[in-house]
Every structure is written in structure tokens, then in C-alpha cells.
Amino acid sequence: MTPPHGSLALSADGPQEPERHLTTLSGWRAFVADQPVIPELLSDVELEKLTLAERTPYDEGRIDHHTRLLVVATSIVQQTVTCGRRLVLLNRHAVSARRGLIVSGPAGTGKTTAITQLGRSHELLDRARHPGLSDRIPVVYITVPPAATPRMVAVEFARFLGLPARTRSNITDILQSVCGVLADARVGLVLVDELHNISLATRSGAEVADTLKYFSERIPATFVYAGINVERQGLFDGTRGQQIARRFTLVPTAPLPYKSEWQGLVATLEDSLRLHNHKPGSLTKLDRYLHGRTGGMIGSLSHLIRGAALDAILTGTEEITERSLKAIPLDHSSDSD
């Protein structure tokens, strides 16, 4: 099932295959091309007829489904996709001072998902407009390393493109190489995640901010940043911060309140379950418990429901109950509230 525009893909945490890493061109393209199919749930009669050799792949398919991406519409993703696509259009003929977007909020509120869904939407539109052109790179996605230096950020761009960045290569060489490739490849959107790893209060942080500004001036693309509460960490302070504040639109993220959007989110997740004994509606009846347990955090909700679904298959209970949900440990922040 292809994720629609304005949707949230709730993914499993943990290691992924190297070719699936979004910070490489091959991994990003695999993410964009991925179209997971929700498996059919067999009837009780059909299930009884399965041999052990047939039952194993059937269960493995359902396990894989519950560990893969579940697509859920959210207002934050819709806002990010709409605002991001608008900025791309407004920047189309700009030669300088292009406008950008910053998605900021607490951890676990869907920032990375929001910007990657924007990137996916942009790339699919670009492919539709330019069919058969494999030399285009519509989107770049990088993360800012901890204690980043300008060279480290430049190397992240080079790594995404698969360009060599040898130890002896100086930052000027890397910058020129990256900017040249991206200009030729007609990049339109640059996604920079983990922006909270930049502190303008430090010399290296200020230099990283200047490096990103240099990229934005040399690369004819819309820049989109995401990070944890970046507006509270001095990103908009001082001369550099004021420049960023004037050029970037802020989309704040937050835990979802216990309202209709949360209830709809739980209902959509329940519809995606593929469990034989699960009674429809039993999970939505627990939506208030789920909100209290997760604090309205989308990431925690995803982890909790997917974990309970996996346990239901592995133990043979084939259903999610309040008791089985309580058996799933969450992150320290959620479980200590």
C-alpha cells in the first residue's frame, strides 16, 4: 500500500539493512519505491488446512507486516507536506534568499516522519514529471552528527551521494564536489535531520550553521530542517539566528491531545492489525488508556501496539488486550510518567 500524501509512517526502531538507510542515495530510493502490501487474513477454515511448512511463512508475513511501516494520516505531516511543497514552488525561480522550513518539537512527535514523507512526496512528483530520467536526484536526506564540524556535515552530503571523501580531502574540495553534483542532478529538496546537534553558542556550531547556509546559497533547492525543540536551544539567537528566523517557517510538533485525531489514529492502527482472535473495536475502547500510557506520543503508541501485535502472534493468543499492552515496556520517559 503506497503511503498517501499527508500521512505518517510509523516505523520500527532498531537496525536496518545498510541499503535501507535513508542517509544514502540507494537507501533513500528504496524508501521512496517501497510499497508494502497488507497481508490477507485467512479464515479459520483456511488456517486449519495449512501445513506447518505453509503456516510458518504465513505467520512470518504477518510478523513482517507488524514490524514494517503503518501509514496513518496526521495533521503534523499534512501541515509539513503542504507547507514544504508550497515553499518548493515559491523557491522555483529564486536566485537567492530562498525560504526554508524547520520542524521542531519534543522527541517522538513525528518530526523525522514528517520531513521524510515530504521528501517522498516531492520525489514521486518529480519522477512523474520527468519519467525515465535516472540521473536526477530530487531529494537529499542527511543527519547532523553529534558534535558536528563543518567538514563532518560536508562529508554527510558526500556520503549520501556516494562521493569519495578521503581523509586528505579538505572541506573546500568536498563542498565543490557536492555542490557540483547536486546542481547537475537538479536537486529540489534538501532534508537535514537532527538539527539540535548544532549549537550556535559554540564556535563549531556556528561554523556548521554557516556551512549549511553556504550549501543553501550554492544549491538551488529548498532546505528543510528537523530537530528537538531547536527554537529553545538558541537557534534563532544572535545575528546568525535572526537570519535563520527570517528565512525559515517553523512547524511545531507536540504530543497529541486526547481528542478526535488521537482516537482516529488508534482506530486506523487497529484496522491494520492482522490477528485472528482480535475483536474489532476492542483497541479503540482502550484509546484513553493508550493516551495515558504514551503521553500522546506517536512514536510510543506505534511501539506499544506493534509490540503487542508481535507478542500476540508469537504466543498464539492472536489478540491485543489491556493486559497484553501492559506487558510491553515503553521508553523510560513514558513509563516513568
Side-chain angles (χ1 to χ4, degrees):
M1 182 168 133
T2 304
H5 299 326
S7 62
L8 173 63
L10 301 174
S11 64
D13 297 326
Q16 301 176 4
E17 300 92 338
E19 66 273 12
R20 303 281 300 176
H21 290 172
L22 299 185
T23 53
T24 66
L25 182 57
S26 60
W28 175 262
R29 285 177 170 170
F31 164 72
V32 173
D34 192 26
Q35 298 185 12
V37 177
I38 296 181
E40 293 288 338
L41 194 63
L42 298 180
S43 68
D44 291 342
V45 174
E46 292 171 322
L47 193 64
E48 285 292 328
K49 293 180 179 178
L50 293 183
T51 65
L52 179 60
E54 294 169 332
R55 178 67 186 257
T56 299
Y58 172 70
D59 286 345
E60 282 298 320
R62 292 189 298 134
I63 288 172
D64 187 60
H65 162 67
H66 291 107
T67 60
R68 289 174 65 85
L69 307 182
L70 303 178
V71 179
V72 183
T74 66
S75 57
I76 291 299
V77 177
Q78 290 173 345
Q79 184 181 1
T80 300
V81 171
T82 300
C83 187
R85 289 171 64 179
R86 183 192 306 124
L87 288 171
V88 169
L89 293 173
L90 290 172
N91 289 333
R92 180 175 288 176
H93 300 295
V95 294
S96 64
R98 297 179 189 87
R99 301 289 176 169
L101 182 67
I102 296 176
V103 182
S104 173
T109 52
K111 298 178 298 298
T112 295
T113 300
I115 67 169
T116 53
Q117 286 298 305
L118 167 61
R120 189 177 191 276
S121 170
H122 177 80
E123 178 136 349
L124 290 173
L125 287 171
D126 189 89
R127 291 182 185 182
R129 292 193 185 103
H130 307 281
L133 297 181
S134 60
D135 59 341
R136 295 179 68 88
I137 303 176
V139 179
V140 169
Y141 174 85
I142 71 160
T143 59
V144 178
T149 64
R151 189 181 188 282
M152 290 167 67
V153 171
V155 167
E156 288 299 312
F157 277 91
R159 181 179 293 116
F160 180 91
L161 298 171
L163 299 175
R166 300 178 181 87
T167 304
R168 64 178 180 274
S169 299
N170 61 50
I171 186 172
T172 302
D173 293 335
I174 301 172
L175 290 173
Q176 295 296 329
S177 179
V178 167
C179 290
V181 169
L182 290 181
D184 291 342
R186 302 292 192 273
V187 66
L189 193 64
V190 176
L191 309 176
V192 181
D193 209 346
E194 306 292 328
L195 191 67
H196 50 268
N197 286 329
I198 299 176
S199 172
L200 296 187
T202 65
R203 178 178 176 180
S204 61
E207 290 174 347
V208 169
D210 288 343
T211 301
L212 288 174
K213 184 173 180 291
Y214 176 84
F215 272 125
S216 69
E217 291 170 346
R218 290 288 309 277
I219 300 171
T222 298
F223 276 63
V224 176
Y225 299 148
I228 298 174
N229 297 328
V230 296
E231 70 277 20
R232 301 179 187 175
Q233 298 185 19
L235 186 69
F236 300 138
D237 296 342
T239 303
R240 288 183 178 86
Q242 290 172 9
Q243 276 191 324
I244 294 172
R246 284 195 296 267
R247 291 189 182 182
F248 283 80
T249 299
L250 179 67
V251 173
T253 67
L256 291 178
Y258 181 70
K259 292 183 178 180
S260 58
E261 184 174 6
W262 176 266
Q263 294 163 339
L265 180 61
V266 174
T268 303
L269 286 168
E270 183 169 37
D271 287 344
S272 73
L273 295 176
R274 289 299 178 265
L275 301 173
H276 284 279
N277 297 330
H278 186 79
K279 299 176 180 61
S282 60
L283 194 62
T284 57
K285 291 178 181 178
L286 297 172
D287 56 17
R288 187 178 292 276
Y289 161 78
L290 291 168
H291 189 270
R293 176 80 188 279
T294 64
M297 294 291 188
I298 299 172
S300 297
L301 177 69
S302 169
H303 177 87
L304 184 58
I305 293 179
R306 289 185 294 105
L310 294 175
D311 279 4
I313 297 173
L314 294 173
T315 62
T317 61
E318 294 286 341
E319 64 176 341
I320 295 178
T321 63
E322 184 172 354
R323 182 177 181 181
S324 68
L325 288 167
K326 288 180 177 179
I328 305 297
L330 279 181
D331 53 274
H332 175 71
S333 176
S334 297
D335 277 343
S336 61
D337 289 340

